[in-house]
Amino acid sequence: MPEASSPQASAGTAAAPPRVLSGIQPTADSFHLGNYLGALRQWVSMQDTHDAFYCVVDLHAITVEHDPALLRRRTKVAVAQLLAMGLDPDRATVFVQSHVPEHAELAWVLSCLTGFGEAGRMTQFKDKSSKQGTGGTSVGLFTYPILQAADILLYSPDPTQGERALRVPVGEDQRQHLELTRTLAQRFNHRFGDTFVPPEAHIPAGAAKITDLQEPDAKMSKSASSPQGIIDVLEEPGPMRKKIMRAVTDTGSDVVYDEEKKAGVTNLLRIYSALEGTSVQDLERRYEGSGYGQFKKDLAQVVLDTFTPIRERTLKLLDDEEQLDRLLAKGADRACEVAAATMETVRERVGFVRRGR
Ligand code: AMP
Ligand code: TRP
């Protein structure tokens, strides 16, 4: 795409499109259905209307014990999946977080503006650290949300150059981290002058929390779900179909939406509705009197139709690692340009001496 028609080219002018920034950890062999519906699908659609920055957050991935070779592999697989889902490196800046050192630098500055108690109230930290035990909980896990705030604010538009939004597409579980990011942006602005646009969480209405197929009251999650409860984007069609056919449904046989009494069917209806773009009411009408069997069979087909092409494209992209590396280098160049400019302002405002020549 020629430079003049890309959204980035108009950055800084009155007509500049809003910014979008999001990140995802490379901590699994595949993304799952919850990631796709809660976040990644929005990443793809927002690249057309926003100046878009999307990163695979490998610095976040080392906040818990990890295997280096596996991390490297999963980072590439994560990038390949994002491209296979439709992110286009000509329209969006796709990059790896550790390629842009300013993320860690801004995180340090923001950590000096964050209260210890404030960080201690983050529910995701409390959940994760209770699983790790005090001995296994790193300081990095504690400051994780501050690094996330840095990821976002580095790509803030300049608030003195007119109104321009900064949006962050994520699932419901990230709402608290986004609130902290807003607080830190406002605190920095208050102390050091207008520097950051407080970001807005962009959380999808119907699919912000997809639940486990076997435990429909729990979030579908790579760390907590059993293999039967989670649908991986890169899963083979056979097992994928089986998992949906075996998803826990509730007593009775009516396909109706009822969060309290029918959490299993309700989750499946949400998935169906989000993937097909049909309202839940229309689906209830379509399956009136037909029982769970037909409903699940059709849903399995809709899931397969969505993920089979993504799986095939991912495998193809992974066949040419050099090409992936080239795309990531281009993404890192573009991300570094913006991040370096933001950091220069931050250093100046905080009072660091400019390095002489
Ligand atoms: P994670 O897998 O926890 O690293 O999450 C990556 C992204 O997917 C974040 O934006 C989450 O909010 C979103 N996400 C994770 N699990 C779910 C889920 N079960 N339902 C909806 N969104 C989710
Ligand atoms: N904490 C996010 C998650 O668990 C991942 C993340 C890191 C992120 N940095 C980000 C999300 C910046 C949005 C913006 O999903």
Side-chain angles (χ1 to χ4, degrees):
M1 186 184 280
E3 210 27 44
S5 63
S6 79
Q8 293 136 13
S10 51
T13 67
R19 280 259 165 88
V20 58
L21 174 295
S22 198
I24 189 154
Q25 294 193 69
T27 42
D29 294 324
S30 168
F31 294 139
H32 61 71
L33 181 62
N35 300 143
Y36 179 73
L37 289 179
L40 303 177
R41 213 168 57 141
Q42 283 64 244
W43 293 24
V44 177
S45 59
M46 290 172 90
Q47 73 183 338
D48 293 322
T49 45
H50 290 68
D51 182 15
F53 292 81
Y54 298 122
C55 60
V56 174
V57 293
D58 51 352
L59 300 179
H60 281 100
I62 66 166
T63 53
V64 293
E65 205 175 316
H66 76 285
D67 175 84
L70 201 54
L71 174 61
R72 201 167 286 124
R73 177 72 197 153
R74 285 174 167 175
T75 302
K76 295 255 174 109
V77 177
V79 172
Q81 283 175 93
L82 294 177
L83 299 175
M85 285 173 185
L87 285 190
D88 172 0
D90 285 330
R91 283 182 285 166
T93 300
V94 181
F95 66 103
V96 173
Q97 185 190 30
S98 65
H99 290 173
V100 185
E102 284 84 355
H103 287 247
E105 189 182 356
L106 181 58
W108 174 255
V109 173
L110 296 177
S111 74
C112 296
L113 293 180
T114 310
F116 197 83
E118 193 172 34
R121 283 194 290 277
M122 295 293 114
T123 55
Q124 201 164 59
F125 169 72
K126 289 196 261 185
D127 287 353
K128 284 193 186 172
S129 59
S130 68
K131 280 183 202 141
Q132 304 279 321
T134 13
T137 301
S138 68
V139 174
L141 190 63
F142 185 62
T143 56
Y144 175 117
I146 304 173
L147 178 59
Q148 179 168 351
D151 296 341
I152 298 167
L153 297 180
L154 269 180
Y155 301 90
S156 167
D158 181 345
T160 64
Q161 299 292 306
E163 288 222 355
R164 204 173 160 207
L166 174 60
R167 306 207 168 103
V168 186
V170 280
E172 181 61 42
D173 58 0
Q174 295 301 308
R175 196 182 283 280
Q176 197 188 24
H177 290 171
L178 261 292
E179 270 312 308
L180 177 69
T181 307
R182 288 178 60 82
T183 303
L184 292 176
Q186 283 153 348
R187 194 172 295 158
F188 188 101
N189 289 348
H190 185 69
R191 284 210 199 151
F192 302 116
D194 218 10
T195 309
F196 298 123
V197 172
E200 301 156 23
H202 190 91
I203 298 176
K209 189 176 168 197
I210 299 300
T211 62
D212 186 302
L213 297 185
Q214 292 300 316
E215 285 178 65
D217 291 319
K219 181 179 90 157
M220 183 180 285
S221 143
K222 65 195 158 216
S223 54
S225 295
S226 70
Q228 294 314 311
I230 188 167
I231 301 261
D232 279 333
V233 170
L234 298 182
E235 190 140 8
E236 295 287 335
M240 199 179 267
R241 201 183 289 277
K242 252 189 212 150
K243 284 184 189 179
I244 293 174
M245 294 309 292
R246 291 182 187 160
V248 166
T249 32
D250 319 272
T251 47
S253 60
D254 293 337
V255 179
V256 288
Y257 191 98
D258 183 338
E259 283 183 28
E260 302 266 299
K261 297 199 194 91
K262 283 176 168 277
V265 174
T266 296
N267 189 41
L268 298 182
L269 273 168
R270 277 206 198 106
I271 297 170
Y272 203 147
S273 161
L275 286 177
E276 201 185 67
T278 311
S279 73
V280 165
Q281 290 84 337
D282 282 350
L283 289 171
E284 286 174 335
R285 243 172 272 138
R286 191 188 302 169
Y287 289 99
E288 203 175 330
S290 67
Y292 295 149
Q294 188 61 42
F295 170 65
K296 286 175 162 179
K297 205 168 147 205
D298 293 350
L299 171 60
Q301 195 56 48
V302 172
V303 175
L304 282 171
D305 289 347
T306 307
F307 288 149
T308 305
I310 295 177
R311 188 181 88 252
E312 287 169 0
R313 281 198 292 271
T314 302
L315 297 178
K316 215 161 165 191
L317 284 158
L318 286 169
D319 271 347
D320 190 351
E321 286 207 28
E322 277 177 24
Q323 168 68 1
L324 270 186
D325 290 345
R326 272 195 298 276
L327 291 176
L328 286 176
K330 186 178 142 193
D333 285 348
R334 167 72 189 141
C336 276
E337 248 176 62
V338 177
T342 306
M343 240 1 259
E344 206 173 293
T345 308
V346 168
R347 286 190 210 107
E348 162 78 28
R349 301 243 156 110
V350 168
F352 296 153
V353 171
R354 187 187 276 275
R355 185 178 152 174
R357 294 179 193 278

